[in-house]
Amino acid sequence: MSRSVEPRVAVIVVAAGSGTRLGADLPKAFVEIAGTSVLGRALHAVFGMTEAAQAVIVAPAELVSAAESIAHGVAGVARDRVDVVAGGETRQASVAAGLAVIRPSVQIVLVHDAARALTPSALFDAVAAETTRLAHGVIPGLAVSDTIKRTDAAGDLLETVDRSELIAVQTPQGFPREHILAAYAGAREEFTDDAALVADGGFPVSVIDGDPLAFKITTPADRRRAEDLCATREGAPRIGIGTDTHAFDDAKELWLAGLHWPGEAGLAGHSDGDAVAHAITDALLAATGLGDIGSVFGTSDPQLDGAHGEVFLRGTRARLESAGFRIGNVSVQVIGNRPRFAARRAEAEALLEEFLGAPVSVSATTTDGLGFTGRGEGVTAIATALCFPVDNFPAANPVAGLPAGERNATSRARRLGE
Ligand code: CTP
Ligand code: MG
């Protein structure tokens, strides 16, 4: 250990199990989820913590060096905070092996199942912060949503359990160093989690909100769920195109690019006829594979009678964000003789950017008198949109492209105002 590294927090990542229920041909921590090992994914979250923690990886004895190379790959320049040890027969024995190597500076110990590979860094931060604040054990838990029943050995129903007093417990579980060391030193039986052991040792333990993403990969169905989640969040950037055309209708007001254009002929259509907003909507939906404006919003929904572009654009943005995407940028070109965009281009761009939360460029052109736009019969808009799966969004984390170690070093430096 380098003398400059004196972490206050240690995270013991237990990865020494065989993964019997998963039934893969490798121990579970080495099984890949969308191209990255379960252990690698778990460690990504550890090295994404705001605090630079010691990472103790507990691996199957025959795979200690394989675990070390995964950990060094994730840690990057922070590899001096990594320690890898061989695990034991049971999870509890594996945690004990990890506890044996926590560094002298460590005051808070988090214990985490590598099998909870998609647990967000924020949950580690929250557990570490609450453990520090309360000075006793803290574990994440989720309310139980299924009805729970007790059965006898033959599978016959005995009773329904009151689920309001139940929680499903996750990891990371955090403890003050002295609590977990004393509890492990005095342990006389096997417990299924560290909180049970620490509580049995006479120390208090509190619960904070867990995270659905901290689910444990136990069965092949869990693995498929994890694969699906990663595919959505981490895929390549996606591009989409959309066009829309509306005829002029003198009886209507003109709404285009989200703006009202007093004195200009309006555009026909079920909504306000904003061809720019509609083309952008289609481009965004096409980029993210979420359908098109007709299938998503319906062409005859009475609620959309006269609806302005804002409704479509904000609605589309919400849909794609909840599907795991962010908008990179949008470019749209208006083709028509009127209105003249030059004087209001910046205004249109600012408004569309507000709706979409992303840069939008608007350009306009005429067609030299040719075609229906040249004859002044209507307006066409052509839009292109670039979207990113959230975990791959360049601006979501300005240091996301750096190796995890450097990323952590950068976030530390920022906190110190360097
Ligand atoms: N674990 C460990 N050492 C053991 C047993 C389990 O480090 N002797 C770790 C696992 O690697 C896993 C976590 O404890 O990250 C939770 O255990 P579980 O999900 O039960 O994993 P496995 O024991 O590997 O799976 P199974 O019970 O299906 O064999
Ligand atoms: Mg097990």
Side-chain angles (χ1 to χ4, degrees):
M1 162 188 174
S2 125
R3 275 151 50 92
S4 62
V5 181
E6 297 195 337
R8 187 188 70 92
V9 174
V11 184
I12 298 174
V13 179
V14 284
S18 56
T20 324
R21 287 167 289 176
L22 189 61
D25 45 10
L26 285 170
K28 185 157 69 182
F30 298 84
V31 166
E32 291 197 348
I33 305 293
T36 302
S37 65
V38 163
L39 177 60
R41 288 186 179 279
L43 291 174
H44 257 285
V46 173
F47 284 94
M49 291 171 68
T50 53
E51 184 157 350
Q54 177 193 3
V56 177
I57 294 99
V58 186
E62 68 283 10
L63 289 170
V64 164
S65 68
E68 205 158 46
S69 74
I70 290 174
H72 286 171
V74 176
V77 295
R79 65 172 56 187
D80 54 357
R81 288 196 264 119
V82 170
D83 293 284
V84 185
V85 294
E89 277 300 303
T90 62
R91 183 184 181 284
Q92 195 162 310
S94 293
V95 175
L99 285 172
V101 299
I102 58 171
R103 297 181 186 180
S105 58
V106 166
Q107 294 161 30
I108 300 289
V109 178
L110 269 53
V111 182
H112 184 57
D113 293 330
R116 299 180 190 274
L118 304 190
T119 306
S121 300
L123 191 62
F124 289 83
D125 290 335
V127 170
E130 275 303 278
T131 307
T132 304
R133 194 177 71 81
L134 296 171
H136 66 237
V138 169
I139 63 174
L142 289 177
V144 176
S145 55
D146 290 321
T147 295
I148 308 286
K149 299 196 188 282
R150 202 184 307 281
T151 58
D152 64 16
D156 290 325
L157 193 67
L158 296 177
E159 60 171 339
T160 299
V161 181
D162 177 8
R163 72 172 173 224
S164 68
E165 53 187 39
L166 300 178
I167 56 159
V169 163
Q170 305 177 319
T171 74
Q173 302 189 345
F175 309 94
R177 175 193 187 108
E178 323 77 73
H179 290 197
I180 190 167
L181 288 181
Y184 265 84
R188 274 169 302 276
E189 50 175 307
E190 285 288 325
F191 294 89
T192 54
D193 76 345
D194 306 288
L197 193 155
V198 169
D200 189 65
F203 301 103
V205 177
S206 298
V207 179
I208 62 168
D209 284 343
D211 190 308
L213 285 174
F215 71 94
K216 186 154 70 72
I217 299 171
T218 305
T219 63
D222 297 326
R223 180 182 180 177
R224 282 194 294 278
R225 180 177 165 205
E227 297 262 3
D228 287 350
L229 284 162
C230 292
T232 313
R233 297 192 316 176
E234 295 166 13
R238 315 246 318 206
I239 193 165
I241 187 168
T243 75
D244 193 35
T245 297
H246 284 287
F248 284 119
D249 176 351
D250 289 336
K252 290 182 75 175
E253 301 267 296
L254 180 65
W255 287 83
L256 198 59
L259 297 173
H260 183 217
W261 301 75
E264 296 277 355
L267 292 165
H270 171 63
S271 63
D272 67 359
D274 186 338
V276 170
H278 300 172
I280 294 174
T281 300
D282 262 342
L284 291 168
L285 293 172
T288 50
L290 293 173
D292 62 16
I293 190 166
S295 63
V296 170
F297 293 96
T299 44
S300 55
D301 185 341
Q303 284 195 329
L304 295 174
D305 205 359
H308 292 309
E310 178 171 6
V311 175
F312 295 93
L313 295 174
R314 287 196 193 274
T316 301
R317 176 184 173 187
R319 270 182 178 74
L320 69 90
E321 285 179 353
S322 61
F325 291 100
R326 305 256 313 252
I327 303 170
N329 76 301
V330 170
S331 167
V332 62
Q333 184 164 46
V334 190
I335 305 165
N337 296 346
R338 297 204 64 82
R340 309 302 284 183
F341 255 88
R344 299 190 74 185
R345 179 191 293 139
E347 199 187 339
E349 288 177 344
L351 187 63
L352 297 170
E353 286 178 9
E354 185 195 322
F355 297 159
L356 297 177
V360 178
S361 18
V362 178
S363 58
T365 189
T366 57
T367 50
D368 210 11
L370 298 174
F372 67 89
T373 53
R375 290 189 297 273
E377 293 167 11
V379 166
T380 284
I382 301 177
T384 308
L386 184 64
C387 297
F388 292 87
V390 272
D391 276 9
N392 202 8
F393 188 73
N397 174 354
V399 289
L402 297 176
E406 283 174 50
R407 190 169 74 212
N408 228 14
T410 306
S411 53
R412 271 206 315 284
R414 285 187 159 197
R415 283 208 316 284
L416 296 171
E418 287 165 11

